[in-house]
Amino acid sequence: MLKGCIVGTGSTTPKRVLTNKDLENIVDTTDEWITRRTGIKERRISSGGLDENTSDMSTKASLSALEMAGISPEALDMIVIGTVTPDRQFPSVACFVQKALKASKAVALDVSAGCSGFLYALSIADNAIATGSCKNALVIGAERLSSITNWEDRSTCVLLGDGAGAVVLTPSTGTHGILSTHLQSDGSFWELLYSSDGISKIPEMLNTIEGKPFYMIMDGNPLFKKAVCCMADIATEALEHNELSSADVKLMVPHQANLRIIKATAEKLSIPMERVYTNIYKYGNTSSATIPIALDEANREGLLKKGDFVLLVTFGAGLTWGASVVKWSF
Ligand code: COA
């Protein structure tokens, strides 16, 4: 039985740092409130120039992951990107990345699954490898959330940041690799987190044509509660599926939406925070990019060794959520 194996990781974030103190000058908030309620101290914001769009960050993260994997772009069969902030409505960010990398053989597509985009993309690539239709795959989570942030809404603008992360997958017949990915969606709660723009919803589209900005709208409190329950439940399902317990998990790499969500989820799973990777304090919530950025940083910090069980768990707009268990392979 073939499975996808992570053989390279990479990530990038924009140079510009926006601190909580900076935000005190933009909205009615304080460093103390943001730190206490979210765990965020600062976030990276794209310059909006030509080299920090979602596709640029995706390409940069990918080059770093490909270099670690020792795989050339020409050997890629698939590029899948989880994103809610594509450069354009179409073509996909993945097609821009394919062009930039000169990965001429690769089929390229984007996945829209809110903050769960990376795990959805990982599952698509892993399944393509399992069926033999794809050998080498590039899986990316990338966002320029600053482009859809309402800078007058203190309940959302303090949370968000920009960045990209990528992993390279190759086939494995051994015991290492992605052991399983578990995904769920529930569209009945879509109004807890959505974008105000329409595209095919005419009145909203007219708003954007008239120059009114579109942005993210969130009902944070119920979302918080759903996030904790859904992430804990799906992580439990993923561990049980692989006959593992929380004691077997070397590192949990959760979606970084709020440090209190991460801590509550870890507590429900009985995983101590020493075995939970967090970098939310410096990047905030980068949506689809949080997990691949965190995974890359944990990997480069030497926290992952061959044979370690890594638990990836996410939650986002849709609603969507998911968990993967990975047996680390290098
Ligand atoms: N600075 C200061 N006060 C703020 C604030 C800010 N940046 N944002 C909100 N507040 C205020 C609210 O206005 C409210 O004031 P009120 O009591 O006078 O009405 C108070 O803080 C509490 O607001 P509430 O929304 O209940 O806070 P909270 O503890 O739920 O924290 C979030 C807000 C957004 C941080 C939290 O709900 C959250 O993280 N939600 C989930 C985020 C998430 O999962 N997002 C996406 C999924 S990927």
Side-chain angles (χ1 to χ4, degrees):
M1 174 72 181
L2 284 171
K3 61 169 94 65
C5 211
I6 297 175
V7 293
T9 62
S11 64
T12 186
T13 52
K15 287 180 215 62
R16 187 178 158 211
V17 177
L18 186 72
T19 65
N20 290 350
K21 281 278 170 207
D22 296 329
L23 278 165
E24 288 180 0
N25 298 319
I26 299 174
V27 283
D28 180 16
T29 192
T30 60
D31 173 37
E32 189 278 327
W33 190 95
I34 303 170
T35 307
R36 183 167 46 82
R37 305 305 291 165
T38 71
I40 301 166
K41 293 297 288 181
E42 58 188 42
R43 69 286 294 141
R44 300 299 181 95
I45 301 295
S46 162
S47 66
L50 292 178
D51 62 348
E52 286 185 342
N53 291 317
T54 302
S55 64
D56 304 310
M57 293 188 286
S58 298
T59 302
K60 210 168 161 192
S62 299
L63 285 169
S64 168
L66 286 163
E67 188 185 9
M68 184 185 286
I71 286 177
S72 73
E74 299 83 56
L76 289 171
D77 304 300
M78 180 179 260
I79 300 172
V80 201
I81 305 188
T83 188
V84 294
T85 46
D87 293 17
R88 297 173 184 275
Q89 182 63 22
F90 62 87
S92 65
V93 180
C95 280
F96 290 123
V97 173
Q98 182 205 27
K99 177 178 185 283
L101 294 177
K102 299 189 178 69
S104 56
K105 270 201 318 149
V107 62
L109 66 146
D110 288 0
V111 181
S112 173
C115 299
S116 305
F118 176 74
L119 279 200
Y120 273 59
L122 190 74
S123 172
I124 288 168
D126 183 36
N127 285 331
I129 287 173
T131 61
S133 65
C134 161
K135 193 169 166 232
N136 300 317
L138 184 59
V139 182
I140 301 165
E143 303 288 3
R144 191 179 157 209
L145 290 182
S146 59
S147 66
I148 58 161
T149 299
N150 178 355
W151 293 103
E152 292 175 356
D153 177 9
R154 67 177 182 174
S155 67
T156 53
C157 75
V158 302
L159 305 173
L160 310 172
D162 301 335
V167 301
V168 177
L169 296 186
T170 58
S172 155
T173 50
T175 59
H176 296 79
I178 299 167
L179 301 188
S180 65
T181 299
H182 305 253
L183 302 175
Q184 284 192 32
S185 315
D186 186 350
S188 60
F189 289 98
W190 72 270
E191 281 173 298
L192 293 183
L193 182 58
Y194 63 98
S195 157
S196 69
D197 71 320
I199 308 301
S200 71
K201 297 265 285 175
I202 298 302
E204 287 87 342
M205 192 182 84
L206 287 177
N207 281 346
T208 61
I209 287 171
E210 286 165 9
K212 292 182 191 156
F214 59 86
Y215 42 76
M216 180 185 294
I217 295 170
M218 185 179 83
D219 191 354
N221 211 273
L223 202 59
F224 185 110
K225 291 170 191 151
K226 288 290 285 181
V228 174
C229 292
C230 292
M231 291 211 293
D233 287 351
I234 202 127
T236 302
E237 179 189 315
L239 290 175
E240 284 175 357
H241 178 86
N242 293 291
E243 297 177 352
L244 296 170
S245 76
S246 52
D248 297 310
V249 176
K250 173 72 187 304
L251 196 67
M252 176 164 97
V253 181
H255 172 49
Q256 317 270 318
N258 184 318
L259 188 60
R260 290 187 295 134
I261 293 178
I262 295 172
K263 283 184 173 169
T265 305
E267 193 179 328
K268 269 178 168 275
L269 292 168
S270 303
I271 298 178
M273 284 304 288
E274 303 81 69
R275 288 194 276 124
V276 178
Y277 194 84
T278 61
N279 57 10
I280 188 169
Y281 66 94
K282 55 180 175 172
Y283 300 136
N285 180 352
T286 57
S287 188
S288 292
T290 64
I291 289 182
I293 292 174
L295 195 60
D296 180 48
E297 293 197 339
N299 187 26
R300 286 174 196 269
E301 286 166 25
L303 299 181
L304 301 172
K305 300 275 176 292
K306 190 171 180 175
D308 286 345
F309 290 109
V310 184
L311 174 65
L312 312 178
V313 58
T314 193
F315 177 83
L319 299 176
T320 57
W321 61 103
S324 291
V325 179
V326 180
K327 193 171 179 188
W328 204 249
S329 56
F330 66 108

